[in-house]
Tab-separated table of all heavy atoms in Angstrom:
chain	number	residue	atom	x	y	z
B	1214	SER	N	167.511	214.146	123.491
B	1214	SER	CA	167.292	212.674	123.292
B	1214	SER	C	168.468	212.019	122.665
B	1214	SER	O	169.502	212.614	122.492
B	1214	SER	CB	166.041	212.477	122.412
B	1214	SER	OG	164.897	212.500	123.196
B	1215	CYS	N	168.161	210.764	122.265
B	1215	CYS	CA	169.252	209.892	121.690
B	1215	CYS	C	169.860	210.464	120.426
B	1215	CYS	O	170.988	210.182	120.134
B	1215	CYS	CB	168.727	208.488	121.484
B	1215	CYS	SG	166.990	208.341	121.409
B	1216	CYS	N	169.138	211.292	119.669
B	1216	CYS	CA	169.673	211.850	118.464
B	1216	CYS	C	170.893	212.702	118.743
B	1216	CYS	O	171.700	212.957	117.848
B	1216	CYS	CB	168.627	212.776	117.771
B	1216	CYS	SG	167.521	211.923	116.686
B	1250	GLU	N	167.235	218.013	118.848
B	1250	GLU	CA	167.777	216.664	118.728
B	1250	GLU	C	166.771	215.715	119.389
B	1250	GLU	O	166.897	215.280	120.532
B	1250	GLU	CB	169.122	216.581	119.409
B	1250	GLU	CG	170.176	217.347	118.618
B	1250	GLU	CD	171.233	217.918	119.535
B	1250	GLU	OE1	171.590	217.239	120.516
B	1250	GLU	OE2	171.699	219.047	119.299
B	1251	GLY	N	165.739	215.344	118.650
B	1251	GLY	CA	164.854	214.288	119.081
B	1251	GLY	C	163.607	214.787	119.834
B	1251	GLY	O	163.063	215.805	119.533
B	1252	THR	N	163.189	213.915	120.762
B	1252	THR	CA	161.871	214.051	121.405
B	1252	THR	C	161.766	215.348	122.229
B	1252	THR	O	162.688	215.664	122.931
B	1252	THR	CB	161.686	212.915	122.379
B	1252	THR	OG1	162.546	211.840	122.030
B	1252	THR	CG2	160.259	212.465	122.370
B	1277	MET	N	165.512	217.499	114.047
B	1277	MET	CA	166.286	216.274	113.719
B	1277	MET	C	165.582	215.046	114.279
B	1277	MET	O	165.159	215.040	115.433
B	1277	MET	CB	167.672	216.446	114.386
B	1277	MET	CG	168.575	215.228	114.267
B	1277	MET	SD	170.116	215.630	115.046
B	1277	MET	CE	171.007	214.096	114.692
B	1278	GLY	N	165.447	214.009	113.445
B	1278	GLY	CA	164.948	212.751	113.937
B	1278	GLY	C	163.439	212.618	113.712
B	1278	GLY	O	162.724	213.647	113.645
B	1279	ALA	N	162.982	211.369	113.643
B	1279	ALA	CA	161.536	211.120	113.517
B	1279	ALA	C	160.754	211.743	114.639
B	1279	ALA	O	159.643	212.237	114.438
B	1279	ALA	CB	161.325	209.620	113.425
B	1280	CYS	N	161.328	211.741	115.838
B	1280	CYS	CA	160.557	212.304	116.978
B	1280	CYS	C	160.240	213.757	116.801
B	1280	CYS	O	159.176	214.212	117.173
B	1280	CYS	CB	161.408	212.098	118.251
B	1280	CYS	SG	161.568	210.435	118.769
B	1281	ALA	N	161.212	214.504	116.237
B	1281	ALA	CA	160.998	215.941	116.102
B	1281	ALA	C	160.109	216.240	114.913
B	1281	ALA	O	159.543	217.333	114.827
B	1281	ALA	CB	162.346	216.622	115.941
B	1286	ILE	N	158.743	207.047	117.423
B	1286	ILE	CA	158.253	205.877	118.182
B	1286	ILE	C	157.398	206.327	119.368
B	1286	ILE	O	156.681	205.532	119.936
B	1286	ILE	CB	159.440	205.028	118.688
B	1286	ILE	CG1	160.426	205.827	119.472
B	1286	ILE	CG2	160.077	204.245	117.567
B	1286	ILE	CD1	161.508	204.976	120.164
B	1287	PHE	N	157.435	207.609	119.733
B	1287	PHE	CA	156.591	208.098	120.795
B	1287	PHE	C	155.344	208.784	120.253
B	1287	PHE	O	154.750	209.591	120.966
B	1287	PHE	CB	157.368	209.011	121.693
B	1287	PHE	CG	158.643	208.497	122.171
B	1287	PHE	CD1	159.874	208.997	121.701
B	1287	PHE	CD2	158.659	207.472	123.026
B	1287	PHE	CE1	161.073	208.481	122.115
B	1287	PHE	CE2	159.898	206.918	123.526
B	1287	PHE	CZ	161.064	207.425	123.036
B	1308	GLY	N	164.849	210.205	109.930
B	1308	GLY	CA	165.667	209.092	110.335
B	1308	GLY	C	165.529	208.864	111.862
B	1308	GLY	O	165.095	209.757	112.552
B	1309	CYS	N	165.832	207.623	112.277
B	1309	CYS	CA	165.734	207.369	113.729
B	1309	CYS	C	166.873	206.466	114.114
B	1309	CYS	O	166.692	205.251	114.198
B	1309	CYS	CB	164.389	206.726	114.030
B	1309	CYS	SG	164.199	206.297	115.752
B	1310	PRO	N	167.993	206.919	114.521
B	1310	PRO	CA	168.403	208.332	114.368
B	1310	PRO	C	168.970	208.606	112.976
B	1310	PRO	O	169.347	207.649	112.276
B	1310	PRO	CB	169.546	208.467	115.375
B	1310	PRO	CG	170.148	207.100	115.432
B	1310	PRO	CD	169.041	206.165	115.161
B	1311	PRO	N	169.013	209.858	112.506
B	1311	PRO	CA	169.612	210.185	111.252
B	1311	PRO	C	171.127	209.892	111.253
B	1311	PRO	O	171.719	209.983	112.314
B	1311	PRO	CB	169.349	211.654	111.098
B	1311	PRO	CG	168.388	212.051	112.070
B	1311	PRO	CD	168.498	211.091	113.188
C	2336	LIG	S1	164.252	209.998	116.289
C	2336	LIG	FE1	164.976	208.020	117.127
C	2336	LIG	S2	167.106	208.379	117.762
C	2336	LIG	FE2	166.120	210.420	117.515
C	2336	LIG	S3	165.358	210.922	119.503
C	2336	LIG	FE3	163.663	209.911	118.517
C	2336	LIG	S4	163.926	207.754	119.096
C	2336	LIG	FE4	165.853	208.773	119.546
Side-chain angles (χ1 to χ4, degrees):
Chain B
S1214 273
C1215 19
C1216 274
E1250 293 148 36
T1252 339
M1277 176 179 181
C1280 289
I1286 53 172
F1287 307 111
C1309 178

